Amino acid sequence: MKIVLFSADEAETASAVSALDPAFTVTSVARPIDAGIVDAYADADIVSGFAGCDFGAAILSRLPKLRFIAIRATGFDSVDLDYCRAHGIRVSNVPVYGDSTVAEHAFGLLLALSRATVPCAEATRRGDFAYTPARGFELRGKVFGVVGTGHIGRRAIEMAHGFGMAVIAYDARPSPALQNTPNVRYAPLDELLAQADIVSLHVPATPETDDMIGARQFALMKRGAVLINTARGQVVDNAALVRALESGHLAAAGLDVLPDETLLRHPATLFAADTPATPAMLRDILAARVLAGMPNVIVTPHNAYNTVEAFRRITATTAANIRAFVDGHPINLVS
């Protein structure tokens, strides 16, 4: 059984998978799987990668022995599930690993924006202890709008209550438990956007959530509102976000995710012969660069998941998923 772990620069995962069975041959590859390296692993029976790995049909078709994909994340939008179903490839994910981790990062971004933490720290590093940024704002008494009330969204709601914030929520499928909670009110998305001081996104990447927050939605938001996105980059039209920030309609944004993150990490890919750059790709990349340079924006490199505790959960669940598949009773399947 040959197992290849892509985007795997953490020895912990390889050790956990190798320990499952001495007969397994486990290979760790620091790079995400892509067209440039896939043929070197054509004999893989099982592959594993983060959500940013490309498991599209063009890649999967070059893995003729593949039987199982173990996604080391909750999101699996990078996998062509139709191809997998047609070719008998099973797919698992890690359903829950970072609810506290990601929600804490969302509030870390919000707190840093609310008190100008980044420019203050940069000023003192320059030796400027007299630096006075624009005045910040308290979270207490503000309206926290949560878009998506799954595990992470619900944890964010708990934290918002701890800060003394009022909570308004939107979800296409509201949580029955939250619907009966007196200090959480569900509302249509447009109403949430119009009332919230802070809008925090916690929805998965699906066709329904692509560009869920665009020019029309930004226009509905309060002047001076803050957007936090720790969900997926494609949920937000970032060109529209740039306009909303530059006009002053939005006060700030905290972003841990952006569209086309693989291209942002490996921009030379844009010039590869087999990756023709489309106008949409170039627009997204340019918007990301502009946002990263704006003084009222904090961008982190898809790092919300990155804690010791979350990685332990990811590693344990991934190893369990592979073991269960090999034993003939797969778990945590998405296809």
Side-chain angles (χ1 to χ4, degrees), residues 15-288:
S15 297
V17 174
S18 298
L20 293 174
D21 191 319
F24 292 168
T25 300
V26 181
T27 301
S28 293
V29 182
R31 285 180 57 181
I33 187 171
D34 60 26
I37 64 171
V38 62
D39 292 335
Y41 307 99
D43 59 347
D45 300 288
I46 294 173
V47 298
S48 176
F50 280 113
C53 285
D54 179 6
F55 291 115
I59 297 294
L60 298 178
S61 65
R62 291 157 68 174
L63 297 168
K65 294 183 64 180
L66 186 64
R67 298 164 52 204
F68 183 58
I69 302 172
I71 297 295
R72 301 197 306 281
T74 301
F76 48 87
D77 49 293
S78 58
V79 184
D80 188 329
L81 296 181
D82 290 336
Y83 181 94
C84 291
R85 293 186 190 103
H87 292 81
I89 301 168
R90 308 308 299 270
V91 183
S92 73
N93 72 338
V94 182
V96 181
Y97 68 88
D99 50 349
S100 293
T101 298
V102 177
E104 287 173 8
H105 193 82
F107 269 89
L109 292 171
L110 176 56
L111 288 165
L113 289 166
S114 71
R115 301 304 297 273
T117 302
V118 172
C120 284
E122 289 175 345
T124 57
R125 285 196 186 101
R126 295 191 304 266
D128 184 0
F129 287 85
Y131 176 75
T132 304
R135 275 204 181 88
F137 60 88
E138 294 181 353
L139 301 187
R140 185 174 184 82
K142 298 295 188 297
V143 177
F144 188 72
V146 181
V147 180
T149 55
H151 293 285
I152 298 170
R154 292 198 296 272
R155 187 70 70 182
I157 287 171
E158 292 178 11
M159 295 176 187
H161 285 148
F163 281 102
M165 305 174 81
V167 175
I168 183 170
Y170 166 79
D171 199 303
R173 290 174 290 278
S175 164
L178 283 181
Q179 283 182 304
N180 298 318
T181 301
N183 52 359
V184 177
R185 181 172 68 86
Y186 274 102
L189 180 59
D190 285 1
E191 183 179 334
L192 179 152
L193 295 171
Q195 295 185 13
D197 299 295
I198 294 96
V199 175
S200 191
L201 305 179
H202 301 286
V203 293
T206 67
E208 293 73 29
T209 62
D210 279 359
D211 286 341
M212 183 181 195
I213 307 296
R216 189 187 76 82
Q217 288 75 25
F218 288 127
L220 292 172
M221 291 172 67
K222 284 183 178 180
R223 186 170 186 84
V226 175
L227 178 74
I228 304 293
N229 186 10
T230 55
R232 281 289 187 268
Q234 57 265 50
V235 173
V236 175
D237 178 344
N238 281 328
L241 175 57
V242 169
R243 293 193 295 270
L245 289 162
E246 285 194 328
S247 71
H249 186 73
L250 288 192
L255 312 172
D256 185 56
V257 288
L258 293 162
D260 295 312
E261 288 174 0
T262 300
L263 287 175
L264 288 168
R265 294 188 184 101
H266 307 284
T269 307
L270 277 172
F271 305 99
D274 58 350
T275 311
T278 65
M281 289 164 58
L282 295 173
R283 181 173 177 264
D284 282 340
I285 290 169
L286 180 58

Side-chain angles (χ1 to χ4, degrees), residues 250-328:
L250 288 192
L255 312 172
D256 185 56
V257 288
L258 293 162
D260 295 312
E261 288 174 0
T262 300
L263 287 175
L264 288 168
R265 294 188 184 101
H266 307 284
T269 307
L270 277 172
F271 305 99
D274 58 350
T275 311
T278 65
M281 289 164 58
L282 295 173
R283 181 173 177 264
D284 282 340
I285 290 169
L286 180 58
R289 295 291 186 183
V290 171
L291 287 165
M294 297 180 80
N296 54 343
V297 178
I298 298 176
V299 178
T300 52
H302 206 141
N303 199 51
Y305 73 94
N306 192 11
T307 62
V308 170
E309 294 84 357
F311 255 96
R312 285 176 182 158
R313 290 188 284 269
I314 290 170
T315 296
T317 304
T318 299
N321 287 346
I322 292 172
R323 176 82 272 171
F325 173 78
V326 172
D327 289 346

